[in-house]
Amino acid sequence: MDDFIRDYARKGFLRDLLFNDITSVKDIWELQKKLNIEHLPNTVMVVTIDNYYSDTVNKSEIQKQAIRIRVYECLKRFVEKFDALVVNMEENLLAVLFWIEKDKASEVEYSVNTGACLKEQVEKETGISVSIGIGRRYKDILDLHISYKEALSACHHKFFLGKSQVIHIDNALPFSEDLGLYSVEVESQLSVRVLACDEEGAYNILRELMGDTLQQKAINPLTMKTRLIEIITTLMRVAVEAGADQENLAVLSGKCVEGILKSDTMTALQSLMQQAIKGIIQEVYQGRKRMNLEVFEKALNYIRDNFNRPITLEEVSDHVHISPYYFSHGFKNFTGMNFIDYVTKLRIDEAKKLLLTTDMNVGDIGKQVGYYDPNYFGRVFKNLVGMPPSKFKVSKKVRLDRIFSEG
């Protein structure tokens, strides 16, 4: 068996041990002999590259692979002195399988010291920060997969501790599954802030949600991430109902869920959640702008078609299916004037046109534009134009006649 084939077969064998895919001790011994493995391992470390996904988000697959190979090669050279073995398990996860003698005074201390030396060597040689989780020693080779699971669990504690950690499972407190702070009430409060486009209010809830109290409880990161994905999904649904663009939200949702799952520290997860909420609020705001444009353009068309009769704000707001209160505030933001002033200006502009282009008398023109009391029409016209309608008609017609005669 040449070296390449032996190395490939050895990695497959080690993965089978860690995944508990070999259940016969006899088969294990035979493979050990064929693959020239001197000692069967009894303890597992896992090594992860800190901030791998966030730091490589804009890198090509070749660049990512180069980073992983550098770490792998460094680990491989270093663990040879301990007669240990290295195998890639996932994109950003390597396992180191080693053997600890039975008479070691403190297997935990020995494992941690070995892990610390390994971490220091990798960071010194490659400049890449790594964290290490360590499982317990097991006499029975069929229990090695338990050590692997423990190492994974230990490594998950870097989520709260930060990067560049060496954590033995015996030194790690059990994770809590208490998600009291992730209640439906908190989810509702976030939804209200998102609908109000209140970024700072949403950030305050997020800081409380993921603050010191939560870290002290050491919630299981996987459980926490699952709940956060549920919260983000709810906020996305609320945003769609508020008029946000579904396609934009779908893209944002995909990136957010992927980022949540790959966040390996609390700090990174907080930053990602804040970015996600900001993105959702921006989509709600843009959706509202689009909806407002459609709603108020529809409202203006309705007013133009009906200004010559007694028209009310409540009637127009009902026509566009929004509350009078919201319509009143939104209308002023959209047109720059309140509803009464807008209708008045529209009526007087139409009256001016009729005064100049028809032979209708002032009273009839007033009725034509919605004023059935001639005196009231005269007062409104004078307040807005600066002269009574009769004087406006005479002065403007004289001026127009002069312009046409001179032309």
Side-chain angles (χ1 to χ4, degrees), residues 112-123:
V112 170
N113 289 339
T114 302
C117 291
L118 191 156
K119 181 182 76 69
E120 182 180 342
Q121 184 64 29
V122 171
E123 293 178 348

Side-chain angles (χ1 to χ4, degrees), residues 351-361 365 393 397:
K352 287 160 67 176
K353 186 194 305 181
L354 294 173
L355 286 167
L356 296 176
T357 59
T358 71
D359 292 327
M360 296 171 63
N361 62 49
I365 288 175
K393 179 172 184 176
K397 277 209 166 188

Side-chain angles (χ1 to χ4, degrees), residues 47-53 67-68 71 89-94 129-130 158 262 264:
V47 181
T48 60
I49 301 171
D50 293 326
N51 301 327
Y52 172 78
Y53 294 106
I67 293 171
R68 298 194 299 267
V71 174
M89 299 301 292
E90 297 173 16
E91 181 179 2
N92 182 38
L93 180 68
L94 302 102
S129 175
V130 297
K158 80 165 182 176
K262 291 181 176 179
D264 61 354

Side-chain angles (χ1 to χ4, degrees), residues 351-398:
K352 287 160 67 176
K353 186 194 305 181
L354 294 173
L355 286 167
L356 296 176
T357 59
T358 71
D359 292 327
M360 296 171 63
N361 62 49
V362 171
D364 288 340
I365 288 175
K367 292 177 182 178
Q368 183 76 15
V369 298
Y371 294 108
Y372 295 90
D373 182 344
N375 293 326
Y376 181 66
F377 170 56
R379 290 196 303 272
V380 173
F381 190 98
K382 184 177 181 180
N383 286 338
L384 205 63
V385 181
M387 63 181 75
S390 56
K391 186 175 180 180
F392 175 86
K393 179 172 184 176
V394 172
S395 63
K396 291 294 180 181
K397 277 209 166 188
V398 168

Side-chain angles (χ1 to χ4, degrees), residues 137-167:
R137 179 180 68 184
Y138 286 89
K139 297 177 182 179
D140 191 338
I141 187 61
L142 295 178
D143 290 333
L144 191 67
H145 68 283
I146 301 175
S147 183
Y148 175 59
K149 290 179 180 178
E150 291 171 345
L152 287 173
S153 180
C155 200
H156 286 157
H157 281 271
K158 80 165 182 176
F159 186 79
F160 296 105
L161 299 173
K163 64 180 185 178
S164 193
Q165 299 289 332
V166 177
I167 310 160

Side-chain angles (χ1 to χ4, degrees), residues 285-304 316 320 322 325-339 342:
Y285 178 74
Q286 293 300 323
R288 287 257 173 83
K289 284 180 66 176
R290 288 190 297 272
M291 288 179 66
N292 283 350
L293 183 63
E294 294 172 3
V295 164
F296 289 108
E297 283 183 346
K298 183 179 178 181
L300 293 183
N301 288 333
Y302 185 80
I303 294 169
R304 292 187 193 104
V316 180
V320 294
I322 59 177
Y325 175 81
Y326 179 74
F327 179 78
S328 176
H329 284 75
F331 188 87
K332 187 167 185 179
N333 290 333
F334 189 75
T335 64
M337 59 182 73
N338 63 39
F339 177 79
Y342 183 84

